[in-house]
Amino acid sequence: MSIQTRRERERAERERLIVTAARELAEAEGWDAVTTRRLAAEIEYSQPVLYSHFKGKDAIMAAVAVQGCADLAEELRTARTAAKGVREALAAVGTAYTAFGRRRPALYDAMFTHAVDLPFATPEAPEPLKAAFGELLQAVEPIANEGDDPGLLTETYWAGLHGLVTLMRSGRLPENAHEDRLALLIGHFTAG
Amino acid sequence: MSIQTRRERERAERERLIVTAARELAEAEGWDAVTTRRLAAEIEYSQPVLYSHFKGKDAIMAAVAVQGCADLAEELRTARTAAKGVREALAAVGTAYTAFGRRRPALYDAMFTHAVDLPFATPEAPEPLKAAFGELLQAVEPIANEGDDPGLLTETYWAGLHGLVTLMRSGRLPENAHEDRLALLIGHFTAG
DNA sequence: CAGAAATTCTAGCAGCGCTAGCCAATCTTT
DNA sequence: AAAGATTGGCTAGCGCTGCTAGAATTTCTG
C-alpha cells in the first residue's frame, strides 16, 4: 500500500512536471516549439513517457489550458473584488481578461483558441473553467437588465473580449487603440 | 510578346486553380487535409510547382483568405442593402457575418483565425479585406453616437461577432443559444 | 535542326506525432 | 537470499509533414 501510494505520488508529480514544462516552453517560445521530443528532453525522460500520461499532444495542451483557467479565474477575481461599483467591476474584469490574453498569449491560445477536446459549456467542465466563467458571470450579473439571461449576457460579453484579444493578437486590429475599443465594449454593456 | 503574355496568362490561370483547389479541399475536408502533396495531386502538377507560385503553404492560405473576404463582403453588402432601417441593417450584417462563419468554417479560419502574413488594418491591406470591413463600417456608422469614432466602433462590433463565431465553433459556447447571444450583442450596440 | 533557356519532375532532407517491442530495474515468492 | 514475475522506460522506426536541390524534359531561339 505504501509503495503503491509513493509510486502514484511520483507519477502525479511527473505529470505536473510535464504540464508545467509544456506551459513554460510554450510561453517562452510558442506552441510550435513544444514538440514531443523537445518536451521529453525538457523533463529528462524519453518521448513515450509522455504517452503514458496523456493520450497525445492535444491532451497535454488541454491540461495546460485547464491550469491556465485557474490562473485567469484568480486574476479576474482579484480585479472584480477590488472594484468599487458594479460598473467598475465589469470594466475591471474586462481589462483583466484582455490583459491576461496579451500578457500570456500562448497560454490564452491553449485555453480559448486551440481546438481542444474539453467539455466547456456543460456541467462536466473542469472546475477551473467554470470558475473563470463564474468570475465573468458575477461581474455581468449585476448589470443585466431584467428579462435578460445573465448567463447568455456573460457569454456575449466574453465573446466581445475574446474577439478583441484574438483579432488584435493576430494583427487584424491595431494594438494601440485597444483601450478605446475595450472602453467602447464595456460602455455598450453597462449602458443597456 | 504574344508568347510572353500567353505564358503569363496560363500562369495566372494555374495560380487561380491552386487557390480554388485549396479552398475547395479545405472546405470539404478541413485545412488538415490540405497538404502540399494532396494539393499538388488535386491540380495535377508536382509539389514544387506550388512553390513557384507561392512562398509556402501559408501564402496559399492567405490567398484563399483574400478570396474569402471578397465573398464575405458581397454577402454583407447584400444583407445590408436589403435591410430597411439602420438598426435593421446592423442586425442583418451581424446575422450575415456569423452565418458566413458557421457555413464556411474553413474559409473563415483562413480569413480570421489562422496566423497569416497579411496587412490588415493598414492602407496596404488587400482590397477585399478593406471591402469586407467597409461593409461593416457602413452598417455601424449610422448608429454611432456623436463623439464615437465609427472605425473603432466597427472594430469593436466586429470583435463581438468574431468572438461569437469562434467560441461557438470551437465548442466553447453552445450552438443552440447563438441567436439569443447575437440578439444581445446587436441590442447593446443599437441601444447606445 | 542544334543549342539555349525556361520549366517541371524525381528524389530526398529534416522534423513531426506516435508506437511496437526490447531491456532493465523493481517487487513478489519460495 | 536467489529465482521468477511484473512493471516501466527506452531504442528504434513508421508514415507523414513542408520544403528544396538538382536532374530531366519540354519549349523557344538562332
Side-chain angles (χ1 to χ4, degrees), chain B residues 6-7 35-37 47 51 56-57:
Chain B
R6 192 211 67 209
R7 283 196 164 170
T35 68
T36 55
R37 276 166 241 269
Q47 249 181 313
Y51 293 87
K57 191 189 171 181

Side-chain angles (χ1 to χ4, degrees), chain B residues 168-191:
Chain B
M168 179 172 52
R169 276 235 349 270
S170 66
R172 282 155 176 113
L173 288 179
E175 295 237 9
N176 52 36
H178 169 65
E179 304 299 330
D180 297 326
R181 286 188 298 263
L182 182 57
L184 277 173
L185 180 71
I186 295 168
H188 278 87
F189 270 83
T190 50

Side-chain angles (χ1 to χ4, degrees), chain A:
Chain A
M1 183 61 182
S2 172
I3 287 172
Q4 189 76 4
T5 56
R6 192 210 68 208
R7 287 195 162 171
E8 283 173 10
R9 195 174 57 240
E10 287 174 352
R11 247 192 93 79
E13 199 160 331
R14 194 173 61 180
E15 193 157 312
R16 274 193 296 274
L17 182 65
I18 293 172
V19 176
T20 302
R23 181 180 53 73
E24 288 179 351
L25 188 50
E27 297 207 79
E29 306 183 32
W31 281 108
D32 281 352
V34 185
T35 69
T36 54
R37 279 167 240 268
R38 180 80 186 277
L39 187 53
E42 214 75 36
I43 63 169
E44 296 177 316
Y45 280 93
S46 70
Q47 248 181 316
V49 165
L50 301 174
Y51 293 88
S52 76
H53 286 272
F54 298 95
K55 192 180 169 188
K57 190 188 170 181
D58 283 358
I60 298 176
M61 290 187 72
V64 171
V66 171
Q67 201 183 70
C69 281
D71 287 11
L72 175 62
E74 195 182 318
E75 294 192 16
L76 294 184
R77 182 171 203 83
T78 302
R80 183 174 58 80
T81 53
K84 292 169 186 171
V86 292
R87 277 172 167 70
E88 287 81 0
L90 187 80
V93 163
T95 303
Y97 183 96
T98 56
F100 183 92
R102 300 179 78 181
R103 183 161 38 84
R104 311 182 74 177
L107 189 55
Y108 188 90
D109 280 346
M111 291 158 62
F112 300 130
T113 301
H114 189 82
V116 82
D117 186 26
L118 276 177
F120 255 84
T122 74
E124 298 91 42
E127 216 49 58
L129 269 62
K130 290 193 278 192
F133 184 80
E135 289 301 324
L136 283 180
L137 183 65
Q138 288 188 60
V140 170
E141 221 159 10
I143 60 97
N145 297 321
E146 39 190 330
D148 282 353
D149 179 343
L152 284 181
L153 191 60
T154 304
E155 291 178 351
T156 309
Y157 184 53
W158 176 28
L161 296 172
H162 176 71
L164 286 178
V165 170
T166 53
L167 288 178
M168 180 172 53
R169 276 235 348 271
S170 66
R172 282 158 176 111
L173 288 177
E175 295 235 10
N176 52 35
H178 169 65
E179 304 299 332
D180 297 324
R181 286 188 299 264
L182 181 57
L184 277 173
L185 180 71
I186 294 168
H188 278 86
F189 270 83
T190 50

Side-chain angles (χ1 to χ4, degrees), chain B residues 127-155:
Chain B
E127 215 50 55
L129 269 63
K130 291 193 277 193
F133 184 80
E135 289 301 325
L136 283 180
L137 183 64
Q138 289 189 58
V140 170
E141 221 159 11
I143 60 98
N145 297 322
E146 40 191 329
D148 281 354
D149 180 340
L152 284 181
L153 191 60
T154 304
E155 291 178 351

